[in-house]
């Protein structure tokens, strides 16, 4: 029987997370809780209900289907999370998609079949597949199985990971992965723990080990205003990057943005805002130049 893993979404024809046209497979479950995460619906590995009350048209179908957990009054729809079985019956009758069930156990066969529907686009554009999340490397057997079959079919695979997993999970996928996106979030271990839930020792050690393998790593740094963009943070990143091996080919600095706020409300998680607006291009360019000058690495 084909191995399974919890999937939140399979985004086809994406132009992000690698070259060309890609299919991005989002897996559910993550050991970290980064306060700026863009996918809070992927934190818990278990299925969950997402609530989007702004889409509600007040039809009352959900309350008829599940009066114990769904009510509707003049203030809109209400949800009693306690003892909800996450069966999804309310979402099935919500034509406005104001309620959605997030997280479905999928087989490697199913996901591979979906991936291969766009094989002609990958060939035409130099694209492929990216496994993301959540933390896709919580499921190395699942990811490895799909990536192995993609490799046999001539489809390139990438992994986007925070690397807060046992080294064996990473090692198992190396033969089938062409590109790793590895997140570095905060250089200081205790500050890292404060904002993500864990320190960064295992993450750095994993990236360092991988950086001495025959592969390609792009380091990604999400630049969070007031959290990891001070001079001491930039120096800290540079010190870590200088210890990496030749597989680290470039460093990508990611601008802060607010795009995920509605997802936090839908997933009933606490949203943290770190700034009112993204950084300017000039600000990002200056940080890229500073880091490139300190490390000799290409910074984009
Ligand atoms: S998911 Fe199932 S139990 Fe939960 S509110 Fe909807 S119908 Fe009721
Ligand atoms: S079924 Fe959907 S649209 Fe209708 S009342 Fe419930 S949440 Fe609102």
């Amino acid at each position: 029987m084909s191995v399974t893993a919890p999937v939140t979404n399979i985004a086809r024809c994406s132009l992000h997370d690698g070259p060309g046209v890609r299919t991005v497979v989002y897996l559910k479950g993550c050991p970290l809780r980064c306060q700026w995460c863009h996918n809070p619906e992927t934190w818990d590995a278990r299925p969950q209900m997402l609530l989007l009350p702004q889409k509600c048209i007040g039809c009352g179908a959900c309350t008829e289907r599940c009066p114990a957990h769904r009510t509707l009054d003049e203030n809109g729809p209400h949800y009693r999370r306690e003892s909800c079985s996450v069966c999804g019956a309310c979402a099935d009758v919500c034509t406005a998609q104001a309620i959605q069930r997030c997280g479905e156990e999928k087989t490697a066969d199913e996901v591979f079949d979906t991936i291969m529907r766009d094989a002609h686009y990958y060939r035409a554009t130099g694209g492929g597949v990216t496994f993301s999340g959540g933390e896709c490397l919580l499921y190395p057997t699942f990811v490895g199985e799909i990536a192995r079959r993609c490799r046999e079919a001539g489809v390139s695979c990438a992994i986007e990971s925070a690397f807060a997993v046992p080294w064996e999970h990473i090692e198992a996928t190396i033969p089938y992965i062409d590109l790793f996106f590895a997140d570095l979030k905060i250089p200081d271990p205790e500050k890292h723990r404060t904002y993500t839930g864990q320190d960064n020792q295992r993450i750095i050690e994993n990236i360092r080990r991988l950086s001495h393998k025959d592969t390609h790593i792009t380091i990604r740094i999400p630049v969070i205003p007031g959290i990891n963009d001070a001079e001491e943070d930039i120096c800290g990143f540079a010190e870590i990057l200088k210890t990496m091996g030749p597989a680290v080919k470039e460093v990508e600095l990611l601008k802060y943005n607010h795009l995920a706020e509605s997802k936090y409300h839908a997933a009933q998680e606490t949203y943290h805002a770190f700034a009112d607006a993204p950084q300017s291009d000039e600000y990002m360019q200056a940080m890229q130049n500073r880091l490139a000058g300190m490390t000799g690495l290409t910074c984009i």
Side-chain angles (χ1 to χ4, degrees):
M1 197 179 126
S2 185
V3 61
T4 68
V7 174
T8 62
N9 186 26
I10 300 178
R12 294 172 63 188
C13 295
S14 171
L15 297 176
H16 304 287
D17 297 320
V21 171
R22 311 193 70 79
T23 294
V24 183
V25 181
Y26 293 90
L27 290 146
K28 193 158 164 46
C30 185
L32 301 183
R33 291 291 180 271
C34 306
Q35 292 186 10
W36 50 84
C37 176
H38 275 197
N39 298 317
E41 76 284 5
T42 66
W43 285 349
D44 192 332
R46 298 168 297 182
Q48 69 191 91
M49 303 309 296
L50 301 183
L51 312 179
L52 298 98
Q54 67 277 16
K55 290 188 168 188
C56 175
I57 55 172
C59 70
C62 58
T63 63
E64 275 180 40
R65 182 59 69 97
C66 187
H69 300 100
R70 296 281 173 190
T71 53
L72 188 64
D73 61 23
E74 63 280 5
N75 296 318
H78 303 280
Y79 170 49
R80 273 191 42 223
R81 193 175 190 169
E82 305 74 42
S83 78
C84 165
S85 64
V86 197
C87 69
C90 55
D92 290 345
V93 297
C94 180
T95 53
Q97 296 196 311
I99 315 168
Q100 297 169 17
R101 188 176 188 276
C102 175
E104 190 183 346
E105 200 71 14
K106 285 191 178 287
T107 67
D109 287 348
E110 278 178 276
V111 175
F112 179 72
D113 289 347
T114 304
I115 288 167
M116 292 310 292
R117 281 187 221 157
D118 293 327
H120 54 291
Y121 289 126
Y122 313 143
R123 281 187 211 107
T125 65
V129 181
T130 302
F131 298 95
S132 184
E135 177 49 73
C136 63
L137 285 175
L138 288 179
Y139 310 100
T141 309
F142 180 84
V143 169
E145 169 66 10
I146 298 170
R148 181 187 63 76
R149 293 172 64 180
C150 285
R151 172 65 59 90
E152 287 170 6
V155 175
S156 173
C157 288
I159 276 177
E160 202 269 317
S161 170
F163 281 73
V165 294
W167 166 250
E168 294 71 27
H169 290 209
I170 303 160
E171 192 175 33
T173 66
I174 295 172
Y176 316 115
I177 299 298
D178 299 302
L179 171 61
F180 287 89
F181 292 102
D183 290 358
L184 269 187
K185 299 166 192 299
I186 296 173
D188 179 77
E190 278 315 306
K191 196 169 165 190
H192 193 284
R193 184 190 298 281
T194 300
Y195 288 99
T196 73
Q198 290 189 20
D199 73 32
N200 56 11
Q201 270 186 318
R202 176 157 76 166
I203 294 167
I204 294 167
E205 184 52 32
N206 278 338
I207 300 174
R208 191 178 291 127
R209 279 180 87 167
L210 184 65
S211 73
H212 291 284
K213 303 288 182 186
D214 181 18
T215 190
H216 182 137
I217 303 172
T218 298
I219 300 282
R220 277 183 163 172
I221 299 176
V223 183
I224 313 301
I227 304 301
N228 65 356
D229 59 351
E231 181 64 15
E232 65 182 33
D233 298 304
I234 298 170
C235 293
F237 282 129
E239 289 309 308
I240 294 168
L241 289 166
K242 281 192 265 184
T243 69
M244 296 293 170
V248 171
K249 307 295 187 197
E250 63 268 308
V251 182
E252 186 178 5
L253 301 182
L254 306 174
K255 269 188 190 182
Y256 174 76
N257 66 58
H258 278 293
L259 297 178
E261 182 171 0
S262 61
K263 288 188 175 187
Y264 279 79
H265 301 313
Q268 303 129 76
E269 298 285 355
T270 304
Y271 179 69
H272 296 89
F274 293 95
D276 294 332
Q279 301 93 340
S280 67
D281 290 342
E282 293 73 25
Y283 179 93
M284 296 301 289
Q285 185 66 58
M287 196 164 167
Q288 288 165 10
N289 293 345
R290 182 102 179 89
L291 206 49
M294 293 167 95
T295 62
L297 287 164
T298 301
C299 292
I300 53 177

